[in-house]
């Protein structure tokens, strides 16, 4: 209930047994207001989950289990009209809750079929449905929210001045979400700590293709001058690795060992230059599975845009995005993220090195086994690079630094030092595969990783963590 029971002074109040009886009655009534199934009082869900670098990103009070997004995209006008059906479970009694959404106009919202009052403050939507006691959400309750919205999705600028969100291309657009950009094209709980399954239905002009994560949920359907594509992602996915690419693509579909769907979409201008590398996607997936354990998803592949449409690659789940023909080094890196980043996802953005250090080390392993360049040589080169020593990989100074060189290069050096400490490659690769298995489709922190490694090896590695993971200065190379 919204009403608070009055608390009054006792100087003139009842005394003795009568006062005790009244006090007991008030306690019982208050308990009924907060715990009874028909009179839950509830409180607002937090606006943000206090991430170390993005404190207002994500929202408290609920856990999303599924997004069902229906979008109609006009690439010429760079507009979209969308409906987001969000299924979630309340983790507390809720009087209201928030969604993250940047820029787009909310036309209506309902919660469990009832109209919701919507307040907007920057990128925060607050939805409230508890005008009546029976409309409030109880802890443990699964509920469905439907938000209808439209407008011109934004291109957002990161703290490090790179662009994300909705990025127009010559023949369409691509949506890239790391670290906060997914709020530019759909409302949600946009922190990596809240993963969900997805269904995406996208309608675009006939002649264009809409590519997203997961597997195609049926063939495209054309009606008049519009074509609709449907995509299904069964495994949990953090919103920052959700993607949508609209444009003219040449697509191929095949099946590799284990029944994994391989779907690639390549801009015709990049087709010739990328053909040889993209054809090796199954080879890379199988090679990495040999080191890190079974591939964690039902689909793989790649999205390759024309050079110049976007400035960076991203490990979008199931099929990484490339801003032009990728090198083998880049393909190996982004595919490694399917284990480290997409399946095992950082609990906060401070844990980013767990993604990038392991993916960078995978490049070193590929060079060692496929190109006769020992991982020690890659380590030595990284060790001599001054850029790797700007700060500790597990403690970037600010949001602008979470994608800087120490997170990658020095992060990979930490993994190499673990390999040296284990001193047995069979045990080392079993260690990496065990990590991927232990947190498959979940979230993990740096503390989870260091505790796991010490338990798996039976060694006290506190000096390694102190010098290589958290140390401010460069330790001796053989330390």
């Amino acid at each position: 209930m919204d009403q608070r029971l009055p608390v009054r002074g006792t100087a003139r109040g009842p005394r003795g047994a009568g006062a005790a009886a009244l006090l007991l009655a008030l306690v019982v009534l208050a308990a009924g207001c907060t715990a009874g199934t028909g009179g839950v009082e509830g409180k607002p869900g937090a606006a943000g989950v206090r991430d170390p670098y993005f404190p207002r990103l994500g929202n408290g009070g609920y856990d999303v289990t599924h997004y069902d997004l229906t979008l109609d995209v006009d690439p010429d006008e760079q507009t979209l009209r969308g409906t987001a059906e969000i299924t979630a479970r309340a983790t507390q009694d809720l009087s209201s809750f928030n969604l993250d959404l940047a820029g787009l106009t909310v036309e209506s919202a309902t919660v469990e079929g009832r109209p919701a009052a919507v307040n907007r403050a920057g990128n925060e939507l607050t939805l409230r449905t508890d005008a009546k006691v029976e409309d409030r959400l109880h802890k443990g309750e699964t509920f469905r929210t439907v938000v209808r919205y439209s407008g011109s999705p934004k291109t957002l600028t990161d703290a490090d001045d790179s662009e994300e969100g909705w990025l127009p291309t010559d023949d369409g657009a691509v949506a890239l979400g790391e670290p906060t950009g997914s709020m530019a094209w759909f409302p949600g709980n946009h922190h990596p700590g809240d993963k969900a399954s997805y269904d995406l239905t996208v309608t675009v002009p006939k002649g264009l293709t809409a590519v997203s994560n997961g597997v195609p949920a049926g063939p495209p359907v054309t009606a008049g001058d519009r074509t609709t594509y449907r995509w299904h992602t069964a495994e949990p996915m953090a919103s920052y690795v959700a993607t949508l690419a609209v444009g003219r693509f040449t697509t191929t579909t095949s099946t590799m060992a284990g029944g994994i769907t391989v779907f690639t979409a390549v801009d015709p201008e990049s087709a010739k230059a990328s053909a040889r590398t993209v054809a090796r996607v199954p080879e890379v997936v199988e090679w990495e599975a040999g080191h890190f354990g079974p591939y964690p998803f039902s689909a793989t592949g790649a999205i390759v845009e024309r050079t110049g449409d976007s400035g960076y690659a991203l490990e979008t789940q199931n099929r990484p995005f490339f801003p032009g023909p990728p090198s083998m080094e880049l393909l190996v890196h982004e595919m490694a993220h399917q284990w480290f980043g997409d399946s095992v996802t950082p609990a906060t953005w401070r844990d980013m090195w767990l993604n990038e250090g392991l993916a960078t080390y995978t490049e070193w392993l590929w060079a060692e086994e496929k190109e006769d360049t020992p991982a020690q040589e890659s380590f030595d080169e990284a060790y001599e690079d001054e850029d790797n020593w700007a700060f500790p990989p597990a403690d970037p100074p600010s949001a602008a630094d979470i994608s800087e060189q120490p997170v990658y290069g020095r992060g990979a050096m930490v993994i190499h030092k673990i390999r040296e400490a284990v001193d047995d490659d069979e045990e080392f690769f079993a260690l990496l595969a065990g990590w991927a298995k232990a947190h498959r489709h979940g979230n993990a922190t740096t503390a989870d990783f260091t505790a796991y490694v010490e338990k798996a090896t039976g060694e006290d590695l506190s000096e390694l963590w102190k010098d290589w993971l958290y140390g401010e200065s460069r330790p001796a190379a053989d330390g």
Side-chain angles (χ1 to χ4, degrees):
M1 297 174 64
D2 280 337
Q3 296 149 301
R4 302 286 181 179
L5 293 172
V7 179
R8 301 183 185 274
T10 58
R12 296 186 182 180
R15 300 185 181 183
L22 178 59
L23 179 60
L24 177 61
L26 291 174
V27 169
V28 171
L29 179 58
C33 287
T34 57
T37 57
V40 60
E41 180 180 271
K43 63 180 181 179
V49 295
R50 297 184 180 179
D51 185 271
Y53 301 113
F54 305 96
R56 292 186 66 82
L57 187 64
N59 301 285
Y62 66 95
D63 174 60
V64 177
T65 57
H66 186 70
Y67 290 96
D68 191 341
L69 306 176
T70 302
L71 305 177
D72 193 295
V73 179
D74 183 339
D76 290 337
E77 299 296 325
Q78 288 296 322
T79 60
L80 67 78
R81 182 173 295 276
T83 299
E85 297 185 18
I86 304 169
T87 303
R89 182 181 59 85
T91 58
Q92 66 179 60
D93 296 335
L94 284 170
S95 61
S96 65
F97 62 92
N98 283 27
L99 297 169
D100 304 314
L101 183 66
L104 296 162
T105 300
V106 175
E107 298 173 353
S108 67
T110 62
V111 178
E112 286 296 279
R114 298 183 292 268
V118 179
N119 293 319
R120 187 78 178 258
N123 297 333
E124 295 287 339
L125 298 182
T126 302
L127 277 60
R128 188 179 184 94
T129 64
D130 71 336
K132 298 179 181 179
V133 170
E134 60 267 25
D135 291 349
R136 296 170 187 168
L137 299 173
H138 301 250
K139 181 178 180 180
E141 178 182 352
T142 296
F143 63 96
R144 188 180 72 149
T145 299
V146 179
V147 179
R148 291 179 171 82
Y149 60 101
S150 62
S152 298
K154 288 184 174 183
T155 299
L156 307 178
T157 302
D158 290 342
D160 64 357
D161 292 330
S162 63
E163 293 184 335
E164 57 174 310
W166 189 264
L167 306 177
T169 63
D170 285 347
D171 56 2
V174 61
L176 300 177
E178 186 178 300
T180 66
S182 291
M183 71 171 73
W185 60 286
F186 68 96
N189 198 15
H190 290 300
H191 187 272
D194 192 357
K195 302 169 73 170
S197 58
Y198 282 71
D199 281 290
L200 195 66
T201 301
V202 187
T203 300
V204 297
K206 182 180 177 180
L208 299 185
T209 303
V211 184
S212 188
N213 312 85
V215 297
V221 176
T222 298
D225 62 352
R226 309 285 286 174
T227 302
T228 298
Y229 297 83
R230 295 186 297 128
W231 293 90
H232 175 65
T233 304
E235 299 92 354
M237 178 167 68
S239 67
Y240 81 91
V241 288
T243 192
L244 171 62
V246 175
R248 299 187 186 280
F249 292 103
T250 300
T251 64
T252 61
T253 305
S254 61
T255 304
M256 61 176 286
I260 298 167
T261 298
V262 183
F263 184 95
T264 62
V266 181
D267 185 286
E269 290 192 9
S270 295
K272 183 177 180 180
S274 63
R276 186 172 297 179
T277 302
V278 170
R280 297 181 74 179
V281 165
E283 175 193 352
V284 172
V285 170
E286 290 179 355
W287 178 81
E288 292 181 346
H291 292 76
F292 311 139
Y295 182 71
F297 302 112
S298 56
T300 188
I303 301 170
V304 183
E305 264 290 1
R306 65 185 66 181
T307 301
D309 275 351
S310 174
Y312 56 92
L314 187 63
E315 62 268 24
T316 43
Q317 190 159 303
N318 310 120
R319 53 190 51 86
F321 171 84
F322 300 98
S327 64
M328 279 304 299
E329 180 181 61
L330 188 57
L331 178 64
V332 167
H333 182 105
E334 302 304 338
M335 282 301 177
H337 277 310
Q338 304 306 302
W339 284 263
F340 309 120
D342 293 11
S343 177
V344 184
T345 303
T348 77
W349 286 109
R350 177 168 283 155
D351 305 303
M352 180 81 157
W353 83 275
L354 288 171
N355 298 10
E356 302 301 350
L358 282 158
T360 301
Y361 197 71
T362 304
E363 294 179 45
W364 297 3
L365 293 173
W366 178 272
E368 182 171 71
E369 296 184 19
K370 301 289 187 177
E371 300 167 2
D372 296 323
T373 302
Q376 184 63 47
E377 285 190 22
S378 299
F379 173 92
D380 293 341
E381 183 178 346
Y383 182 84
E384 295 300 327
D385 187 346
E386 294 294 334
D387 290 341
N388 281 322
W389 301 101
F391 55 83
D395 193 19
S398 72
D401 299 301
I402 62 172
S403 294
E404 291 300 315
Q405 188 59 36
V407 175
Y408 293 72
R410 190 170 167 188
M413 283 187 269
V414 172
I415 306 303
H416 191 71
K417 284 297 174 181
I418 295 171
R419 186 181 184 182
E420 288 183 347
V422 172
D423 198 26
D424 181 293
D425 273 0
E426 185 175 345
E427 291 184 18
F428 172 70
F429 290 120
L431 182 80
L432 297 185
W435 171 250
K437 181 180 179 179
H439 295 278
R440 183 181 175 95
H441 299 317
N443 296 85
T445 65
T446 297
D448 292 330
F449 180 75
T450 56
Y452 163 82
V453 171
E454 293 202 349
K455 182 177 181 180
T457 62
E459 304 229 4
D460 178 2
L461 300 176
S462 54
E463 288 299 309
L464 190 160
W465 312 134
K466 179 175 71 70
D467 291 342
W468 294 92
L469 190 56
Y470 291 105
E472 294 290 343
S473 59
R474 178 162 31 187
D478 58 356

